[in-house]
């Protein structure tokens, strides 16, 4: 035979349940029937510890607040330090890029000067060759 319980009966704590005072340990068991099926609901809650603190100097809350502040300050300091390292790295990269650009410009200028010099030498040799051949042609026409 199936039993059926209403929702309000379940909420009021059908079954075995224990809730001792002081919130140190809580557990509960309830049974709910739906038609011919019976649902068993088991709830186990974790053990709760109470923290007692007074508002006097050196209380656990003051210690927790101080520890939180120190942790926050530490993270802030490390973040600032990492930012400074990032700035140094950026400045280093910019400096090396400028040096590389200057070196590339110097090397390109050297290559340009070399090509001009060799071009002038080749032009002079061609001019001398042409003059020589022109002189030979002139001499050949005289004879």
């Amino acid at each position: 035979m199936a039993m059926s319980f209403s929702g309000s009966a379940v909420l009021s704590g059908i079954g075995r349940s224990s809730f001792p005072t002081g919130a140190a340990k809580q557990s509960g068991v309830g049974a709910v029937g739906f038609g011919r099926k019976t649902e068993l609901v088991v709830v186990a809650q974790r053990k709760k510890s109470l923290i007692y603190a007074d508002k006097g100097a050196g209380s656990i809350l003051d210690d927790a607040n101080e520890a939180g502040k120190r942790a926050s300050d530490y993270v802030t300091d490390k973040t600032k330090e990492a930012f400074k390292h990032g700035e140094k790295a950026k400045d280093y990269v910019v400096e090396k890029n400028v040096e590389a650009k200057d070196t590339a410009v110097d090397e390109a200028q050297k290559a340009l000067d070399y090509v001009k010099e060799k071009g002038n030498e080749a032009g002079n040799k061609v001019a001398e060759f042409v003059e020589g051949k022109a002189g030979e042609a002139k001499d050949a026409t005289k004879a």
Side-chain angles (χ1 to χ4, degrees):
M1 175 176 196
M3 295 179 65
S4 177
F5 298 105
S6 70
S8 63
V10 171
L11 292 176
S12 65
I14 294 295
R16 181 180 119 329
S17 64
S18 65
F19 298 97
T21 60
K25 183 176 181 184
Q26 296 179 356
S27 64
V29 177
V32 181
F34 295 105
R36 294 185 180 197
K37 294 182 180 180
T38 300
E39 299 280 333
L40 180 64
V41 179
V42 178
V43 178
Q45 294 180 342
R46 66 180 179 84
K47 184 176 179 181
K48 296 180 182 176
S49 299
L50 299 177
I51 298 174
Y52 295 101
D54 60 5
K55 292 190 177 187
S59 73
I60 194 167
L61 293 177
D62 291 340
D63 292 343
N65 287 336
E66 183 62 29
K69 184 179 180 317
R70 282 194 311 262
S72 176
D73 291 344
Y74 177 79
V75 169
T76 301
D77 291 344
K78 289 299 177 183
T79 302
K80 288 178 182 177
E81 186 177 316
F83 182 73
K84 287 177 185 176
H85 287 301
E87 286 294 317
K88 285 181 184 177
K90 182 188 81 166
D91 293 343
Y92 177 79
V93 168
V94 168
E95 179 184 336
K96 291 301 176 186
N97 282 338
V98 168
E99 288 176 10
K101 183 187 101 147
D102 292 345
T103 302
V105 168
D106 291 344
E107 293 299 318
Q109 187 62 45
K110 287 179 188 176
L112 178 63
D113 293 343
Y114 178 79
V115 169
K116 278 184 181 179
E117 181 183 332
K118 292 301 177 184
N120 288 339
E121 288 176 10
N124 290 339
K125 286 184 181 178
V126 168
E128 289 174 9
F129 178 77
V130 170
E131 279 181 16
K133 290 298 178 180
E136 289 176 14
K138 190 177 189 183
D139 291 341
T141 55
K142 286 184 186 179

